[in-house]
Amino acid sequence: MNEGVAGDLTASFRRLIANTGPLSLQHYMGESNARYYADKDPLGAAGDFVTAPEISQMFGELIGLWLADLWIRAGRDDYVHYVELGPGRGTLAKDALRAAKRYGLVPEVHLVEGSTALRDIQLEALPGAQFHHDLSTVPTDGTVLIVGNEFLDALPIRQMVKTAAGWRERMVGYDEQAGKFIPVAGTQPMDSAVPEDMRDVPTDTIIESCSGAAATMFEIAGRLNTQGGAALLIDYGHTEKRTGSTLQAIASHKKVDPFAAPGTADLTSHVDFATLAQIAQSRECKWMGTVTQGQFLRGLGIDQRAENLATAAPQYAGELQAARNRLADSDQMGNLFKVMGLAAPSWPDGVGFV
């Protein structure tokens, strides 16, 4: 843990709370993650967490093949952009593009990344990649193939809690006696911000929303409609609307208190894929479906791929089987993680969703 970062942000938040009152959870999460990702590589065994592309090259390769197959069946447009949101170390893009190249798909590479430390690592993996802080500067002409793996979950969320006095925003205060940040209910009535069908739920019910994820989906769907292309969004989350807090923090591969040391852990929440699907469809974008990661990878042939690799390199058979299990089995990442497929209205459906 970086005590300097924790101390600086803790002191800053304490002063702000003392002067202006509790912070919104959205503010707390947004600034905490901005500090956390600013100048560090959080991935891998030496970091705080491991993502699917780091587990096995099979993950990225299958995504590359999915993109290439769809691009071929859509007519092989010559001017194509590969766009990845939050590309980590560039591992997924490197594996995906290597696999896609075998079928003639060699797109321009655009990476949406704010961390300078990760940009340096990504550039080593993907020489010639172009960097963006958000989607707004990605070219608006040419086909777009968009991938986001564990990107949406780190966007700041807003929470509402049902109190005896009605709906209130869930804020972050500071308990001076206990010496720690704590969630508290705000004082301003927020009933008008809650959907009507949720207003009569039991006291203490919590609901979440994520304006950043909604805006990202709105932009992606619009791009696909106007430019043509497809998108895969992969994250842990739910396909039906739910209640309850899903806020969590990961540090050193373990769950920790999200309010203990802001800026030193990865704060995330479950992605509301049900709402995102509605947004995509509202822009007349083709929603192929949202399926479990296990179903998607098996539909793309991960079992056969692992078997073929093990036959070619039997000394790695055990590692390959373990990686396949971790990515696709229901008791590991297979069910918790979901895959949403999107495309331009005129594009065909992709493998794994039908």
Side-chain angles (χ1 to χ4, degrees):
M1 177 181 295
N2 186 330
E3 297 294 346
V5 170
D8 290 347
L9 199 51
T10 294
S12 175
F13 281 163
R14 285 185 64 185
R15 286 194 301 269
L16 193 56
I17 291 169
N19 290 329
T20 63
L23 307 174
S24 70
L25 179 60
Q26 191 172 33
H27 180 169
Y28 176 89
M29 185 176 176
E31 192 162 342
S32 295
N33 275 353
R35 289 284 188 99
Y36 175 76
Y37 281 102
D39 58 0
K40 67 178 292 186
D41 174 11
L43 297 164
D48 291 322
F49 56 90
V50 176
T51 59
E54 306 294 332
I55 293 171
S56 172
Q57 68 183 48
M58 292 186 290
F59 185 81
E61 288 173 346
L62 290 173
I63 287 176
L65 294 176
W66 187 89
L67 294 172
D69 170 70
L70 207 56
W71 169 74
I72 290 168
R73 290 190 287 120
R76 295 177 178 265
D77 186 11
D78 291 333
Y79 187 36
V80 188
H81 306 287
Y82 172 89
V83 183
E84 188 169 340
L85 310 174
R89 290 175 168 169
T91 305
L92 190 161
K94 186 176 181 179
D95 292 339
L97 293 168
R98 183 180 62 250
K101 186 176 182 179
R102 298 202 299 266
Y103 296 90
L105 175 57
V106 186
E108 291 188 359
V109 179
H110 300 269
L111 305 178
V112 177
E113 178 61 69
S115 167
T116 55
L118 288 174
R119 281 191 178 193
D120 290 341
I121 297 170
Q122 291 157 8
L123 197 56
E124 289 184 17
L126 301 158
Q130 301 175 52
F131 292 98
H132 307 266
H133 285 287
D134 54 46
L135 283 168
S136 66
T137 56
V138 172
T140 55
D141 56 340
T143 297
V144 286
L145 301 174
I146 302 172
V147 177
N149 180 62
E150 291 197 54
F151 172 78
L152 298 174
D153 64 272
L155 298 178
I157 60 169
R158 190 183 192 190
Q159 291 184 340
M160 301 290 177
V161 58
K162 179 70 176 295
T163 71
W167 284 98
R168 300 291 184 268
E169 185 164 4
R170 200 166 186 239
M171 314 285 281
V172 180
Y174 190 78
D175 185 333
E176 292 287 351
Q177 187 172 356
K180 64 178 182 179
F181 295 103
I182 56 171
V184 297
T187 58
Q188 296 296 318
M190 298 298 294
D191 298 74
S192 61
V194 175
E196 286 192 23
D197 61 348
M198 295 296 298
R199 293 183 186 176
D200 295 327
V201 298
T203 300
D204 296 326
T205 297
I206 294 172
I207 59 174
E208 296 178 336
S209 62
C210 182
S211 59
T216 299
M217 176 55 63
F218 190 84
E219 173 75 6
I220 289 173
R223 292 275 190 150
L224 295 178
N225 260 351
T226 58
Q227 294 179 243
L232 284 176
L233 297 171
I234 307 160
D235 230 309
Y236 54 87
H238 43 268
T239 56
E240 297 180 356
K241 292 185 178 181
R242 296 182 182 178
T243 61
S245 175
T246 67
L247 178 69
Q248 66 178 29
I250 300 292
S252 299
H253 303 274
K254 296 179 181 178
K255 287 187 178 182
V256 297
D257 181 355
F259 301 108
T264 66
D266 180 36
L267 301 185
T268 64
S269 66
H270 286 209
V271 175
D272 180 1
F273 281 105
T275 295
L276 296 184
Q278 291 176 343
I279 294 170
Q281 291 171 298
S282 75
R283 303 210 73 185
E284 299 182 357
C285 175
K286 175 182 283 190
W287 172 60
M288 299 179 192
T290 305
V291 299
T292 66
Q293 181 171 291
Q295 178 181 336
F296 179 73
L297 293 177
R298 287 197 171 93
L300 268 62
I302 192 172
D303 294 327
Q304 187 62 50
R305 178 61 176 157
E307 185 177 322
N308 291 345
L309 289 171
T311 300
Q315 67 273 28
Y316 297 116
E319 294 177 27
L320 288 163
Q321 183 65 24
R324 187 215 66 83
N325 293 347
R326 187 170 179 186
L327 291 170
D329 279 3
S330 60
D331 60 346
Q332 298 195 53
M333 298 175 73
N335 276 0
L336 177 61
F337 280 75
K338 309 299 189 297
V339 183
M340 172 183 278
L342 303 167
S346 62
W347 272 48
D349 288 324
V351 177
F353 295 99
V354 292

